[in-house]
Amino acid sequence: MSDVSRFMLRAIELARAGMTRGAGGPFGAVVVRDGEIVGEGWNRVLETNDPTAHGEVTAIRDACARLGTFSLEGCEIHTTGQPCPMCLGAIHWARVGRIYYGFRIEDAAEIGFDDSEFFRQFVLPPEERLIPSGESCREEALALAADYLRMPGRRIY
């Protein structure tokens, strides 16, 4: 069995265990560095009442805690389902270098997890989205950003 298959089967195992006990949907993930699992997670949305507790996000949080860093450069993630927009963003922010997934976004939609509208919304101008957005207190917010730039020892990521 290949390492890719072994890691995906572990993600499936985590997803099944969480799903079976009512923690959330059929989503599990493992973060791997140098052939070793450094983070594990599964969908815990229902268990925690946290809409951000998707399998990929919980695996990223676990890996970052174990490794003591916010950067997962040099890692890969194996996830049971193709990442939703939120998870894809988290994967990019964590600097994960490779994604392996089991079922596709279209497959997830067939079982009630339809992300297509989110993807459609993100390409619209902010004022045309279902959840409109706009600026507020821009000058004050820019002053905050400028204060951050002047902080000694600041870290930009």
Side-chain angles (χ1 to χ4, degrees):
M1 172 185 309
S2 74
D3 280 348
V4 171
S5 295
R6 181 170 57 92
F7 298 136
M8 183 60 71
L9 290 174
R10 177 61 181 156
I12 291 169
E13 180 182 348
L14 293 165
R16 186 176 305 284
M19 177 183 76
T20 302
R21 71 169 188 275
F27 304 97
V30 296
V31 176
V32 175
R33 175 181 278 167
D34 298 327
E36 297 294 323
I37 294 175
V38 295
E40 296 185 328
W42 55 92
N43 186 294
R44 299 183 65 209
V45 170
L46 300 176
E47 181 177 63
T48 62
N49 293 317
D50 177 356
T52 70
H54 289 197
E56 297 93 332
V57 172
T58 59
I60 288 169
R61 289 173 180 163
D62 184 47
C64 289
R66 286 191 203 187
L67 297 173
T69 183
F70 56 82
S71 175
L72 298 178
E73 286 186 59
C75 292
E76 58 193 36
I77 192 164
H78 301 254
T79 176
T80 56
Q82 190 174 2
C84 75
M86 178 185 68
C87 292
L88 193 56
I91 290 165
H92 280 269
W93 273 110
R95 307 299 197 257
V96 173
R98 172 87 187 194
I99 303 167
Y100 294 96
Y101 58 86
F103 53 81
R104 297 178 186 150
I105 289 169
E106 300 82 15
D107 302 319
E110 289 181 18
I111 60 168
F113 296 92
D114 190 353
D115 298 334
S116 61
E117 180 60 20
F118 299 140
F119 284 106
R120 192 182 78 71
Q121 287 289 316
F122 293 153
V123 299
L124 296 173
E127 63 277 2
E128 293 180 23
R129 295 178 188 161
L130 275 175
I131 302 173
S133 62
E135 293 179 357
S136 173
C137 300
R138 184 172 191 274
E139 292 306 315
E140 294 84 352
L142 285 171
L144 174 67
D147 290 345
Y148 180 75
L149 278 176
R150 289 189 291 274
M151 286 178 59
R154 75 184 183 320
R155 295 175 73 184
I156 296 178
Y157 192 69

